[in-house]
Amino acid sequence: AQSVTQPDIHITVSEGASLELRCNYSYGATPYLFWYVQSPGQGLQLLLKYFSGDTLVQGIKGFEAEFKRSQSSFNLRKPSVHWSDAAEYFCAVAPSTDSWGKFQFGAGTQVVVTP
Amino acid sequence: DAGVTQSPTHLIKTRGQQVTLRCSPKSGHDTVSWYQQALGQGPQFIFQYYEEEERQRGNFPDRFSGHQFPNYSSELNVNALLLGDSALYLCASSRGMNTEAFFGQGTRLTVV
């Protein structure tokens, strides 16, 4: 069955430390890949997306993600976390352009930033 | 630019009742998708509207229905509400079906 897995439900990181959020997918072919962030009381904001080409993708707010086909992974990273990065992060996939908008989301990873 | 707006922000309904949620897409957008986000879970796709027609649908029962108006705004209707329908309902809009989707802040529905 097709699936998106975020293994870490909750991550605590110190301000200024690096952050890596994991995402694994299970699809027949490489889907289109996305990372979204959701702050309390807010909707989802797109951080970055991968369609094809360079496997290292740069996004907003200093985030980047690396697509690894051999591992079916699309992990999100930030070198130095700010207190404002505390939020919930969702990995999402769209299986094809025909299914665009029919995103399948992971369960999310809650990020807590400590002083 | 107002972005994607949803109304109401919060709603409490009784089991068995019907509810209508509304979404106004971002200016210039013509495609609207609806998602259900239960507490502690990721959003789940309900359906997508484009050119006033339902184009794609997720695994939701027929109690969930929708509509898109000529001005591209959309409604989500849920009949015979169940306690399990309690969730945050998110609307996302895009220009066409293959471009970046922008999400609204959602409507928090509580069924008691």
Side-chain angles (χ1 to χ4, degrees):
Chain A
Q2 299 174 334
S3 66
V4 181
T5 302
Q6 293 181 246
D8 304 304
I9 298 173
H10 187 275
I11 285 180
T12 299
V13 60
S14 299
E15 192 169 12
S18 64
L19 174 69
E20 181 167 13
L21 305 181
R22 295 182 290 164
C23 174
N24 295 97
Y25 64 89
S26 175
Y27 278 83
T30 301
Y32 300 95
L33 299 160
F34 308 81
W35 274 99
Y36 281 86
V37 61
Q38 186 177 36
S39 298
Q42 303 293 314
L44 299 171
Q45 182 182 22
L46 179 67
L47 289 175
L48 46 77
K49 57 186 181 285
Y50 174 77
F51 297 161
S52 64
D54 192 346
T55 57
L56 187 61
V57 180
Q58 301 297 319
I60 63 171
K61 304 186 178 186
F63 284 93
E64 67 178 24
E66 184 172 14
F67 167 64
K68 292 186 177 180
R69 185 188 304 275
S70 62
Q71 299 177 18
S72 297
S73 70
F74 188 56
N75 294 347
L76 181 71
R77 299 193 294 251
K78 186 168 185 178
S80 178
V81 169
H82 187 262
W83 64 267
S84 61
D85 293 323
E88 186 143 28
Y89 292 79
F90 293 95
C91 179
V93 304
S96 67
T97 54
D98 291 340
S99 299
W100 195 276
K102 189 177 181 180
F103 296 142
Q104 182 169 0
F105 286 84
T109 298
Q110 184 71 46
V111 173
V112 173
V113 180
T114 59
Chain B
D1 185 357
V4 180
T5 58
Q6 293 186 241
S7 62
T9 55
H10 295 83
L11 200 55
I12 300 175
K13 288 288 189 179
T14 302
R15 189 172 44 186
Q17 285 188 316
Q18 178 265 344
V19 68
T20 297
L21 310 182
R22 295 176 175 82
C23 173
S24 293
K26 184 178 171 65
S27 178
H29 287 186
D30 56 8
T31 302
V32 173
S33 301
W34 287 92
Y35 289 80
Q36 180 195 66
Q37 185 179 16
L39 199 61
Q41 297 182 23
Q44 291 200 357
F45 176 78
I46 303 175
F47 42 54
Q48 181 186 61
Y49 278 85
Y50 174 67
E51 294 185 334
E52 301 181 49
E53 290 188 13
E54 183 181 293
R55 298 292 180 167
Q56 301 186 84
R57 189 178 182 91
N59 295 325
F60 280 80
D62 292 344
R63 298 187 297 108
F64 290 77
S65 64
H67 188 78
Q68 185 178 36
F69 299 93
N71 66 354
Y72 309 119
S73 66
S74 176
E75 288 182 349
L76 163 65
N77 301 292
V78 187
N79 295 321
L81 284 166
L82 304 173
L83 297 179
D85 295 330
S86 296
L88 179 67
Y89 288 84
L90 295 166
C91 170
S93 75
S94 61
R95 183 178 303 168
M97 296 177 66
N98 296 338
T99 60
E100 178 180 345
F102 290 79
F103 283 79
Q105 294 188 358
T107 294
R108 172 71 63 187
L109 172 65
T110 302
V111 182
V112 297

